[in-house]
């Protein structure tokens, strides 16, 4: 792996991430929040409804290592479902699913028994028994992400949070100015079609980013952006 910016030269994922210490930079009311996405050159965040075919082994390594730099990982319900079932669902169905607290309860996240899962939801439905320790935090109507992040920081001691998507959740977080870092892998591929991009939804204004680093391996680019 090569570092193109800053200070060009050879590097590795491990070496690059070693000095990256997001837990030292929590905000007053919330953790430091980073988002991580992989996209094709034409900006698609899925191929065949899932993100797996986009990135290389190096991208998987980056994701796995990034997780170790954060206290917690946040995933949107749409990502949880699509990555399990490999398809997207229309809005009306999504609303009904929300009322039912519809998640793939047979996914390893819930059945493997390791770690702790915290679900923020506006649903009043009860989850099934899970092998993994599960806590539910209920919000009225919709999940207020400012409140959810405050809860993570103040009630759970989370200093740094990695959001692995999807594009809908990313749009809401960026729309609220709640993302500090964006890790973006650009795979040397064109996907075409109407697939989602890494951010879906309206932003109140254009967000200005600065490029904190740029890495390359086999034509794949690994960028880290910071909100200006
Ligand atoms: N390329 C990549 O790096 C990458 C990364 C992640 C995901 N993806 C892809 O992105 C797709 C999924 O993205 P997505 O945008 O559809 O879904 P998403 O952002 O993962 O999740 C959106 C869902 O989360 C719940 N949600 C979010 N904000 C909420 C709020 N404020 N209150 C209540 N519920 C809230 C809702 O669930 P309910 O529908 O249950 O109400 C909503 O439909 C998948 O195809 C996945 O493969 C790609």
């Amino acid at each position: 792996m090569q570092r193109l910016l800053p200070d060009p030269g050879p590097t590795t994922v491990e070496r690059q991430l070693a000095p990256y210490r997001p837990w030292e930079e929590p905000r007053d009311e919330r953790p430091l929040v980073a988002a991580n996405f992989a996209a094709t050159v034409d900006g698609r965040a899925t191929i065949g409804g899932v993100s797996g075919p986009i990135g290389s082994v190096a991208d998987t390594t980056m994701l796995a290592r990034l997780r170790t730099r954060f206290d917690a990982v946040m995933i949107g319900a749409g990502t949880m479902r699509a990555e399990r079932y490999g398809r997207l669902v229309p809005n009306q169905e999504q609303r009904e699913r929300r009322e039912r607290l519809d998640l793939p309860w047979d996914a390893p996240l819930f059945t493997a028994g390791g770690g702790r899962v915290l679900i923020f939801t506006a649903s009043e439905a009860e989850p099934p028994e899970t092998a993994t320790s599960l806590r539910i935090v209920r919000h009225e109507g919709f999940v207020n992400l400012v409140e959810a992040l405050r809860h993570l920081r103040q009630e759970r001691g989370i200093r740094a949070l990695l959001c692995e998507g999807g594009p809908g959740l990313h749009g809401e977080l960026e729309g609220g100015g709640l993302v500090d870092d964006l890790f973006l892998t650009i795979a040397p591929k064109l996907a075409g079609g109407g697939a989602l991009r890494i951010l879906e939804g309206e932003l109140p204004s254009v967000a200005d980013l600065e490029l904190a680093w740029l890495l390359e391996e086999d034509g794949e680019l690994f960028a880290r952006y910071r909100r200006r």
Side-chain angles (χ1 to χ4, degrees):
M1 179 172 277
Q2 294 293 319
R3 187 173 50 244
L4 306 180
L5 285 170
D7 307 323
T11 189
T12 62
V13 171
E14 289 77 6
R15 218 183 304 157
Q16 193 65 30
L17 290 182
Y20 180 64
R21 301 166 70 84
W23 60 88
E24 291 180 351
E25 299 177 58
R27 306 313 190 227
D28 287 344
E29 298 277 296
R30 63 172 177 84
L32 178 141
V33 178
N36 183 56
F37 281 91
T40 60
V41 169
D42 54 331
R44 309 297 174 180
T46 62
I47 295 177
V50 288
S51 58
I54 295 175
S56 66
V57 171
D59 178 52
T60 308
T61 306
M62 178 65 85
L63 177 63
R65 294 285 170 170
L66 260 182
R67 286 178 179 166
T68 68
R69 313 305 286 172
F70 289 84
D71 296 330
V73 172
M74 180 186 258
I75 305 165
T79 297
M80 193 62 210
R81 289 192 294 260
E83 295 293 338
R84 190 75 174 80
Y85 298 120
R87 70 183 179 92
L88 293 171
V89 289
N91 280 345
Q92 178 58 36
E93 215 175 310
Q94 279 185 353
R95 274 196 294 277
E96 287 166 9
R97 281 168 173 230
R98 178 178 298 168
E99 280 151 26
R100 296 201 305 263
L101 192 56
D102 188 28
L103 292 170
W105 297 109
D106 58 342
L109 181 68
F110 300 120
T111 59
R116 286 174 295 163
V117 175
L118 183 65
I119 296 179
F120 292 100
T121 182
S123 165
E124 290 173 8
E126 289 300 325
E129 288 281 310
T130 54
T132 306
S133 155
L134 190 68
R135 287 287 188 85
I136 308 263
V137 178
R138 296 183 198 276
H139 289 212
E140 188 85 18
F142 65 97
V143 175
N144 179 322
L145 289 171
V146 171
E147 284 302 319
L149 292 179
R150 187 177 296 140
H151 178 97
L152 288 173
R153 177 80 198 97
Q154 293 179 350
E155 309 291 324
R156 308 281 159 181
I158 302 296
R159 301 157 301 174
L161 179 73
L162 180 64
C163 175
E164 295 185 359
L169 178 59
H170 186 208
E172 283 189 63
L173 287 168
E174 293 281 6
L178 300 170
V179 181
D180 305 294
D181 276 8
L182 171 61
F183 291 88
L184 175 64
T185 299
I186 302 168
K189 295 176 184 172
L190 295 169
L196 298 172
R197 294 163 191 275
I198 66 162
L199 187 155
E200 295 290 334
E202 298 295 321
L203 295 183
S205 58
V206 172
D208 281 325
L209 307 177
E210 64 182 1
L211 186 61
W213 71 49
L214 184 63
L215 320 175
E216 184 272 343
E217 184 173 294
D218 292 334
E220 197 167 42
L221 296 172
F222 300 87
R224 175 183 158 222
Y225 294 95
R226 297 216 74 157
R227 264 263 185 170
R228 272 189 205 279

